[in-house]
Amino acid sequence: MSATGAGTPGPQRSSERREVLYVIACGSPLAGHIGRLVELAQRDGWDVCVVTTPDGAKFVDRPALARQTGHPVRSRYKGPGDPDVLPSADAMIVCPATVNTVNKWAAGITDTLALGLLVEAQGKGVPVLAVPFTNVAMAGHPAFRASLARLAEWGVEVLFGDHVVPLHPPGSGERHLHAFPWAAVLPALRDRRRPVTPAA
Ligand SMILES: Cc1cc2nc3c(=O)[nH]c(=O)nc-3n(C[C@H](O)[C@H](O)[C@H](O)COP(=O)(O)O)c2cc1C
């Protein structure tokens, strides 16, 4: 059993197993719209599981996401002896990635389930895409830029910048959610593994 409580294959027969994508949502109003990304990923053939940070959990509709994905939404480490409830991930997308989680991730900190999964993903070679969403002031902190550069250097795909979504003024995030380019996210996950072909 893994420390993060994710890693036991699901109930599907291996020949029928779809690739599993973890969508990890952090504490931003954009997390409230993560169902859009779930829908696009499902259309693309992924079996999607949603994980949030504890702050991300405040922004999402857990029952709706559980219905949409068929998996419980996890936000905290399981307790000792609790069963693993999610299938292991073939890829992960952190969207929205907050400044806080990006900085802790780059430092190897694992004090949330989301960070534990991301730090483990590095060691397991699981492809990860980070999609930060934040305001111009938070993005201006040098630690954030340095963290993104470190993550990219270590093989994490980073989708961020004015070409993706222009940085908004502090306190105005809610008003810029409509401009978020959901359709650009999945194509940025370049290292997607080949789908498992069902046996004839
Ligand atoms: C209403 C509200 C909106 C926020 N929006 C963002 C955001 O868009 N991006 C960001 O980096 N932080 C944002 N924050 C700050 C994060 O929620 C805060 O840094 C938190 O510690 C993040 O925790 P997490 O990284 O574990 O999700 C917001 C906070 C609040 C209260």
Side-chain angles (χ1 to χ4, degrees), residues 26-29 53 55-56 59 98-101 133-134 138:
C26 303
S28 157
T53 61
D55 277 301
F59 292 89
T98 51
V99 170
N100 177 60
T101 284
F133 183 84
T134 192
M138 290 191 92

Side-chain angles (χ1 to χ4, degrees), residues 27-125:
S28 157
L30 193 68
H33 299 261
I34 204 64
R36 296 274 303 278
L37 180 58
V38 171
E39 186 187 338
L40 291 169
Q42 288 174 328
R43 269 196 237 158
D44 208 14
W46 292 98
D47 181 7
V48 184
C49 302
V50 175
V51 174
T52 77
T53 61
D55 277 301
K58 301 173 188 169
F59 292 89
V60 304
D61 182 341
R62 301 173 74 86
L65 289 169
R67 277 195 304 277
Q68 187 180 4
T69 62
H71 297 286
V73 176
R74 293 197 55 207
S75 301
R76 296 183 182 280
Y77 283 105
K78 68 188 180 78
D82 288 350
D84 296 342
V85 295
L86 299 182
S88 56
D90 295 293
M92 301 185 191
I93 297 178
V94 193
C95 179
T98 51
V99 170
N100 177 60
T101 284
V102 165
N103 285 334
K104 290 201 289 184
W105 178 10
I109 292 169
T110 63
D111 64 352
T112 63
L113 171 64
L115 284 164
L117 292 167
L118 292 169
V119 169
E120 268 190 2
Q122 182 91 38
K124 289 178 172 173

